[in-house]
Amino acid sequence: MEGLANINRIMDLFLDKKGELLRQTVVLTKYKALELNYLLKACSANYMGRFYLSYEYQCLFTRDMISQEKKIYMRKIPVGDIESAHEKKFEFFTKKIWGKLYEALKMYTVVYVPSYFDFVRLRKYFKETHASVGFVSEYTNKKMCQSQRALFETKRFRFLMYTERAHFFELIKLRFARHLIFYGIPKERQFMEEMMGLLNAKREGKVLKVAETQKATVNAQPIEDEPEEMMWDSYVYYTKHDEYELERVVGSAHVKRYLTTETNTSLICVHIHLPLFYSCLLYTSPSPRDRQKSRMPSSACKKKKKKKK
């Protein structure tokens, strides 16, 4: 027993607090993230260095997403350091972008917000300016989600803003979308493709059933047909800190051009269908879109209990 407690058996390397340099850390993830990249550089030091393994992304946009009637506008928002990036982005969007979009886009416009904190900030601003916008987040109950969607489809709301987690849990199934506004690039590459697929869905002129709200009942009205030559545009806004999210959308070969471009607005013109490649980087992240293991928020839809026979 005395030999096991002998301090001379401990290597000087560990007594000098340099044992972390011999530690081997292996992290796996599907997508790269700025937060995990900083964590590896700060806490995963090794005397042999680091090794990253990732595949190059190809452009997500295909011929079906872009045509003369469907255009995608990418705009870079100028921000400073990462600490004040969210505040400057909100200030730039509300003062220089939102007013023009609100006047130009009349109906059936979906505002996609990846972060719930940005959703709360924008919701407060829209309510103060009395904008015709509906709100759906991951904390909205099922009855209110159906009511907000019905008001949007019957043109009671010109815009509908909802979060990325609401899209993940599929709280509502959006229809009749004619314009898309991405306040930020989605974290998942698949979400961007699904949102762009909304513009390809065909409309059906049917009478919609509108759910009753807490105070009043809204009468359902049939949706009128719109001219076929109507432009179905998408507007994507990003900052220089969204490098990894932008890379998954425009491709690894073009991401630097979008980050260093002098012109703030870029028009996507892609007419070739490219195969999809996914990245495998040494990070950790939960399995994406695994709804069986994911839990809904407490205030969202409740699970139905199965009756025992």
Side-chain angles (χ1 to χ4, degrees):
M1 297 297 296
E2 294 181 358
L4 296 178
N6 189 1
I7 194 174
N8 294 326
R9 300 182 61 181
I10 303 177
M11 299 176 59
D12 296 337
L13 185 66
F14 295 96
L15 295 177
D16 296 338
K17 297 182 180 181
K18 296 181 180 180
E20 61 180 8
L21 299 178
L22 297 177
R23 182 183 59 195
Q24 182 180 9
T25 304
V26 179
V27 190
L28 302 175
T29 185
K30 184 179 180 181
Y31 295 121
K32 293 183 288 186
L34 185 63
E35 298 81 3
L36 293 176
N37 192 17
Y38 173 79
L39 181 63
L40 280 180
K41 290 183 178 180
C43 304
S44 299
N46 191 284
Y47 78 101
M48 291 293 293
R50 303 180 187 90
F51 175 73
Y52 293 92
L53 176 62
S54 62
Y55 296 104
E56 292 187 356
Y57 287 96
Q58 302 296 329
C59 185
L60 177 66
F61 304 114
T62 62
R63 184 180 300 176
D64 297 334
M65 299 180 184
I66 302 172
S67 61
Q68 295 182 356
E69 295 80 14
K70 304 175 185 178
K71 296 181 180 179
I72 302 175
Y73 296 93
M74 307 280 295
R75 180 163 186 178
K76 178 184 176 183
I77 297 180
V79 296
D81 55 354
I82 193 172
E83 296 179 356
S84 60
H86 294 280
E87 297 179 359
K88 292 184 177 180
K89 180 180 180 181
F90 171 77
E91 183 179 357
F92 187 88
F93 181 83
T94 54
K95 292 183 178 180
K96 297 185 178 181
I97 297 178
W98 173 249
K100 298 179 181 179
L101 292 177
Y102 193 76
E103 294 179 358
L105 308 179
K106 300 300 181 182
M107 292 292 175
Y108 301 124
T109 303
V110 178
V111 182
Y112 185 94
V113 183
S115 173
Y116 178 75
F117 300 102
D118 293 333
F119 174 85
V120 174
R121 186 177 298 179
L122 289 172
R123 181 179 59 184
K124 180 180 179 181
Y125 172 78
F126 292 154
K127 288 184 177 181
E128 291 177 352
T129 56
H130 304 285
S132 179
V133 182
F135 310 102
V136 175
S137 68
E138 59 267 28
Y139 300 105
T140 308
N141 55 44
K142 185 176 181 179
K143 183 178 180 181
M144 186 58 64
C145 288
Q146 295 177 353
S147 176
Q148 294 290 311
R149 187 191 70 170
L151 292 173
F152 171 72
E153 293 177 348
T154 54
K155 298 183 179 181
R156 301 302 177 93
F157 285 145
R158 294 171 53 188
F159 294 76
L160 179 65
M161 181 176 66
Y162 83 132
T163 60
E164 183 171 289
R165 293 188 66 192
H167 179 76
F168 176 84
F169 291 116
E170 291 186 349
L171 297 184
I172 58 175
K173 293 184 178 180
L174 293 176
R175 299 177 297 181
F176 313 142
R178 290 297 170 265
H179 306 280
L180 297 176
I181 299 176
F182 292 90
Y183 185 77
I185 301 178
K187 301 295 183 181
E188 288 279 349
R189 177 187 173 103
Q190 180 182 356
F191 294 168
M192 187 73 173
E193 187 176 3
E194 292 174 355
M195 292 299 299
M196 297 302 299
L198 294 176
L199 301 180
N200 296 333
K202 296 181 179 180
R203 296 178 53 193
E204 297 178 1
K206 297 182 180 180
V207 179
L208 303 177
K209 296 181 179 179
V210 182
E212 295 183 358
T213 57
Q214 297 179 356
K215 297 183 179 179
T217 303
V218 182
N219 296 326
Q221 297 180 358
I223 297 179
E224 300 177 356
D225 294 335
E226 296 181 358
E228 296 181 357
E229 60 270 18
M230 179 180 180
M231 302 299 293
W232 296 350
D233 298 336
S234 301
Y235 303 87
V236 184
Y237 300 97
Y238 64 95
T239 64
K240 63 180 181 180
H241 304 294
D242 300 330
E243 178 180 358
Y244 294 145
E245 291 82 359
L246 184 64
E247 180 184 4
R248 293 192 284 267
V249 175
V250 300
S252 302
H254 307 287
V255 62
K256 291 184 179 180
R257 179 168 60 89
Y258 283 94
L259 293 175
T260 59
T261 179
E262 296 180 357
T263 58
N264 293 329
T265 305
S266 303
L267 177 62
I268 302 294
C269 297
V270 180
H271 301 284
I272 302 177
H273 180 76
L274 299 175
L276 303 180
F277 293 93
Y278 295 94
S279 175
C280 176
L281 187 67
L282 299 182
Y283 286 150
T284 56
S285 64
S287 177
R289 216 169 179 77
D290 190 358
R291 296 185 179 84
Q292 296 180 357
K293 297 181 180 180
S294 302
R295 292 186 177 181
M296 296 284 289
S298 57
S299 60
C301 310
K302 297 182 179 179
K303 296 182 179 179
K304 296 182 179 180
K305 297 182 179 179
K306 295 183 180 180
K307 297 181 180 181
K308 297 182 179 179
K309 295 183 180 180

